[in-house]
Amino acid sequence: MITIFQRFIDVPGPVLVPAIRIAIWHFFFVWAVTGVKVATNAVFLARADKSTLPLLYVFVTMGVLVVSTYLARVLSQKPPALVLRTAMWVGAWLMLSVGVMLWLKVPYAPAAAYVLGEIITTGISLLFWARVSDAFSPRSKKLVVGFISGGGMSGAVVGGLLAHQLAMNAFLVLSLTFYFLLPAAMLFMVKGIRSRSRGLLKRERASLYPALTYMKGHAFPKWLALLVVGFAVLGALTDYVFRFESARLGEAEMASLFGILNAVVGVTVVCIQMSLTHRLLKRFGVFLFISITPIILGVLAVIQSFSDSFGILISMKGLEMAAAFSLNPAAIFLLYNPIPDTLRASVRTFIDGAIKKLGVAVAGLALLGIAAFSSESLVDSAWIAVSAFGLFIIFPFLHKSYITAL
């Protein structure tokens, strides 16, 4: 059975078993993330003032900045496996607490649920991919990244279908209250998988200074950080336009829409990740692979600007979700290979956490400014198109510095 599966996904036997275990845990984690995100978005948009959504982007950025900076420091001293285990349980209990606040109808609880859900999801995702990077060699990563991402998107399908079928107020609050206990309980699946950095980390005070020194002295991490920020801005703009238009629906209707969207995106991405990602990366390389999303999203944004079709906007959001949950992390994950092993986890956590969320903050502040000085109609898909095609300005500089860093 393993041999047949091995041939289908084109992953060698010694790498396949740990990859399966990690993919199974990723399945449960993304299942929980999907349920929590659907619930927090629907609850906030239905129970709070949707015009404050850009402000929440800023609050999320501030929280992620603090959390990711702390995690980057800790990862300079402790292996990702240990940090992931602790953080997952802390996140589960925090969401349980905010769920109780919602049940008790505490003021601002919907906003707190949204912000906390985003911060926890981002932090655990950073630690998860740091753990994957720590478990496999640079060559093996290219073989397993699509398979592991596909496992996660399978979880998105399950979480999305459950949210769609059980779209009711009580289920939404139950989801964001208890869902993160599921991946916490399943951490035994990744226990015992080798840690390549365990013997390399120095037993001294945790510090972010070595990672920051490396980033300051090399062009490649700077251009990579700029790319990550660009994708964050693109995602924030797409998310805002979509959620602003969908906020006219009721809470249960929004949950149902968000749920089925997650399921459809999940099925599509699983098919791509399980069978095509490795082959596309092998044939075309990481840079062509990562350019697929902004090209398609930019074209759709131009069409939607002229047609004002909510259906196209749903397609744009689906593509953005596929990119944010699976396609982009899989590709950007590989771009960190030129960074030294002892610094990779800290640099990646700092860039994908603190710096990435700065892009969300920039988009949030821009949206707040537009809402204050212009009509809401100016915040439309044209902004998404400009952001998508603008990313290609970064690509030549990133490619050159990537080759130099190898």
Side-chain angles (χ1 to χ4, degrees):
M1 183 67 179
I2 292 290
T3 303
I4 298 174
F5 193 54
Q6 174 186 340
R7 290 176 180 174
F8 173 72
I9 63 172
D10 196 21
V11 175
V15 179
L16 181 60
V17 174
I20 290 175
R21 291 172 58 189
I22 292 174
I24 291 174
W25 187 84
H26 200 207
F27 167 85
F28 286 103
F29 173 64
V30 179
W31 175 359
V33 167
T34 302
V36 169
K37 278 183 171 287
V38 168
T40 54
N41 278 275
V43 167
F44 172 77
L45 291 172
R47 304 184 186 185
D49 183 2
K50 66 179 180 180
S51 65
T52 62
L53 185 58
L55 186 60
L56 294 194
Y57 290 161
V58 179
F59 287 152
V60 168
T61 298
M62 294 169 61
V64 170
L65 181 64
V66 173
V67 170
S68 60
T69 301
Y70 172 75
L71 291 176
R73 288 182 57 199
V74 173
L75 288 171
S76 69
Q77 183 188 41
K78 298 180 180 179
L82 176 61
V83 185
L84 174 63
R85 184 167 64 250
T86 303
M88 188 68 255
W89 278 109
V90 170
W93 288 114
L94 284 174
M95 286 308 296
L96 180 65
S97 300
V98 81
V100 172
M101 291 170 57
L102 281 169
W103 282 110
L104 297 176
K105 301 187 185 303
V106 175
Y108 303 109
Y114 180 93
V115 172
L116 194 59
E118 291 291 328
I119 293 172
I120 293 173
T121 296
T122 302
I124 301 299
S125 295
L126 292 172
L127 291 173
F128 170 74
W129 287 108
R131 180 67 183 101
V132 174
S133 181
D134 192 38
F136 300 100
S137 67
R139 182 177 180 277
S140 297
K141 290 174 195 174
K142 286 188 176 182
L143 301 177
V144 303
V145 66
F147 174 67
I148 292 172
S149 296
M153 292 312 296
S154 299
V157 174
V158 175
L161 287 175
L162 281 176
H164 175 67
Q165 293 296 326
L166 302 174
M168 59 188 72
N169 297 352
F171 178 75
L172 294 176
V173 179
L174 283 172
S175 297
L176 66 87
T177 304
F178 296 109
Y179 251 151
F180 274 146
L181 291 172
L182 180 60
M186 294 298 296
L187 281 167
F188 69 90
M189 290 300 306
V190 294
K191 185 178 181 179
I193 295 175
R194 72 169 183 171
S195 172
R196 299 173 70 247
S197 66
R198 188 179 293 273
L200 300 175
L201 296 173
K202 297 179 180 180
R203 296 297 178 183
E204 55 189 35
R205 184 179 178 183
S207 174
L208 191 57
Y209 181 75
L212 294 178
T213 302
Y214 172 80
M215 292 175 63
K216 181 180 178 181
H218 296 79
F220 171 64
K222 297 173 186 175
W223 286 110
L224 180 56
L226 191 58
L227 177 72
V228 169
V229 168
F231 272 115
V233 171
L234 177 60
L237 290 174
T238 306
D239 181 76
Y240 178 78
V241 173
F242 170 74
R243 298 201 186 283
F244 196 90
E245 292 297 324
S246 60
R248 65 188 66 175
L249 304 174
E251 183 175 308
E253 291 174 310
M254 282 189 286
S256 179
L257 172 61
F258 298 161
I260 196 63
L261 185 58
N262 274 278
V264 172
V265 169
V267 170
T268 303
V269 172
V270 166
C271 294
I272 294 173
Q273 293 285 30
M274 290 294 190
S275 58
L276 292 178
T277 296
H278 167 52
R279 291 175 175 84
L280 289 173
L281 286 169
K282 186 176 181 180
R283 181 167 182 176
F284 298 109
V286 66
F287 285 93
L288 284 177
F289 181 85
I290 206 171
S291 67
I292 294 173
T293 299
I295 290 175
I296 300 176
L297 191 54
V299 171
L300 288 175
V302 172
I303 297 173
Q304 204 278 335
S305 296
F306 290 100
S307 66
D308 197 27
S309 168
F310 188 61
I312 295 178
L313 190 57
I314 292 175
S315 300
M316 291 166 58
K317 178 56 183 174
L319 179 60
E320 183 271 327
M321 288 169 56
F325 288 166
S326 186
L327 300 178
N328 286 349
I332 294 176
F333 171 76
L334 298 175
L335 289 176
Y336 286 93
N337 281 341
I339 298 174
D341 288 346
T342 54
L343 298 173
R344 189 178 298 127
S346 293
V347 171
R348 186 180 190 280
T349 301
F350 186 69
I351 291 178
D352 282 2
I355 296 180
K356 178 180 180 179
K357 286 302 179 181
L358 285 177
V360 179
V362 169
L365 291 173
L367 291 167
L368 284 173
I370 293 169
F373 298 105
S374 303
S375 66
E376 294 179 351
S377 61
L378 291 179
V379 186
D380 59 16
S381 296
W383 289 69
I384 299 174
V386 171
S387 179
F389 294 127
L391 282 172
F392 289 94
I393 298 174
I394 303 171
F395 276 61
F397 301 99
L398 177 63
H399 185 264
K400 181 180 179 180
S401 62
Y402 177 84
I403 298 299
T404 303
L406 286 174

